[in-house]
Amino acid sequence: STIVLIFEAPKDFDFSFRPGDKVRLNAGIGTL
Amino acid sequence: VPKVSWMRRITKGFVNYGRNLKWVPIPLGVGFAYICYQQYGHIKKRERRRELSSNDIADRLATQWQINIYKALPLRFVSRLWGQVNSVDVPYGLRKPIYSLYTRLFNCDLSEALVEDLTTYQNLSAFFRRELKPTARPLDKSKSLVSPCDGKVLHFGKVERGWMEQVKGVTYTLQGFLGPKTANQQEGEVKQVSNDHFQSRLTTKAGNRLYQCILYLAPGDYHRFHSPADWTIKHRRHFPGLLFSVNPGIARWIRGLFSLNERVVLCGEWEHGFFSMTAVGATNVGSINIYFDEELRTNKKGKFKQGEYRDHDYTAITRDSAGIRVAKGDSIGEFNLG
C-alpha cells in the first residue's frame, strides 16, 4: 500500500529526507 | 632566461639546471585551450550518461502486452480471498506461533504495539491493523508537514506541468491520478484539459508550487494513516481499480501504476492552499477504511471501468459546510488485508 501526498506550498518549501529513506509516522518531513 | 626555442628551453630546463628546476612559462592560450578540451570531455560524458539512463528507464518499463497479462490475473479475487482467509479466527493456541512468525518475517517491533499480548488478536487481519502506543511516534510540532504513516520514501519533489513521478524517471499525469476537477461537472463526466492547465487550476495562491510525496508501506509496517498537517478535508473520490502490487520494483516497472490501482483521494485545503492525501491499495492490502466515512466501500466484487470514480462531498455533512477539520497527527484511516 502507498500514501501519496499532493499539496500546494510556497516556493521555499523543503523536504527533509531523500528517496529511499525510511520515515516514521509523525516525524517531520517538510518545512518552510 | 637564455634566448633559446621553447622546446630547447624545456629540455635545457630539465637537463641543464639539474636539481634547480625552474618554472617554464606556458602561453595563456594553450592553458585555456587545454581547460576547454577537458570541459568538453566532461560535457560529452555527462550527456552520454543522461542518454543511457533515460534509455535504461524505457528498457525496464513493462510493455503493453506485459501489462495486459498482469491485468488478466484475478488479483482482485485473490485479494478478497486473502482478506477472508485472514479474517478467520485463529485458534487461541496457534495465535502466538503464527503472529510470532509474521513478526519475524516482516521485522515488526512488537514493543511499539498498544497491545503486546499476541493472544488477544483474534485473527491476522486484527494483528495487521494493530494500534501503536501513544508514545511510540511523538509528533514533530516544529515542521509544517509530518509523515502520515510509517514507510519508505519512493519519490518526492515538485509537480511540473501536470506530471508526477512514481519513482525517478517514471512519470504519470496528475489529471489521471486525481481525476477531473469537480466544479461545474457531473459525477463520472470526464472533461479532459491539458496537463499544464489542470495543474495551474489546482493551485490557489500566486507564486505557490505544487509538491508531491510518495510513501510505500511494507508488509510489516504500521498500516494506519494519520493527518500529515492541519487541514480541512472537503471531498473524497474513490476510484475502483486494479490491485497490482505497489512494491518499489513494480513501481519502477509499470508506468502510471498508482493511476491504475484502486485508491481513495481525499482533497481539501491547508494554510497554503490545495492539499490532498491518497491511499492506494495493493494486492495484499486491497481495502481502505476512512474512519469518518461510513459510505466508503473498497475492494468490492463487481465490474468497473478504468478511470471511473465515486465522489462524496464532506462539506454537505458538516454544520458550517467547511468540511472535516483534522489536525496534524489525527488518525484518518487504515489499510486492511484483502
Side-chain angles (χ1 to χ4, degrees), chain A residues 16 23-30, chain B residues 132-151 215 222 224-230 277 327-332:
Chain A
S16 40
V23 287
R24 302 181 100 198
L25 172 72
N26 287 340
I29 58 171
Chain B
L132 291 181
K133 286 173 186 155
T135 51
R137 300 286 185 274
L139 183 68
D140 186 347
K141 290 180 183 166
S142 67
K143 296 281 169 71
S144 318
L145 199 67
V146 296
S147 176
C149 58
D150 280 358
L215 302 169
Y222 171 67
R224 297 181 182 218
F225 45 91
H226 295 228
S227 174
D230 299 329
M277 175 170 169
K328 213 189 286 180
D330 283 356
S331 197
I332 287 188

Side-chain angles (χ1 to χ4, degrees), chain B residues 199-211:
Chain B
Q199 179 174 338
S200 62
R201 286 203 311 179
L202 280 187
T203 45
T204 55
K205 294 178 185 172
N208 275 2
R209 294 267 173 89
L210 204 62
Y211 297 87

Side-chain angles (χ1 to χ4, degrees), chain B residues 249-268:
Chain B
I250 302 290
R252 279 189 282 271
W253 188 53
I254 295 180
R255 192 190 289 278
L257 175 66
F258 303 137
S259 301
L260 294 171
N261 269 19
E262 179 144 5
R263 61 198 181 279
V264 176
V265 183
L266 300 175
C267 284

Side-chain angles (χ1 to χ4, degrees), chain A residues 11 15, chain B residues 156-160 163 165 209-212:
Chain A
K11 277 179 191 168
F15 285 101
Chain B
F156 66 89
K158 288 174 200 150
V159 180
E160 304 274 10
W163 287 87
E165 281 181 278
R209 294 267 173 89
L210 204 62
Y211 297 87
Q212 57 163 328

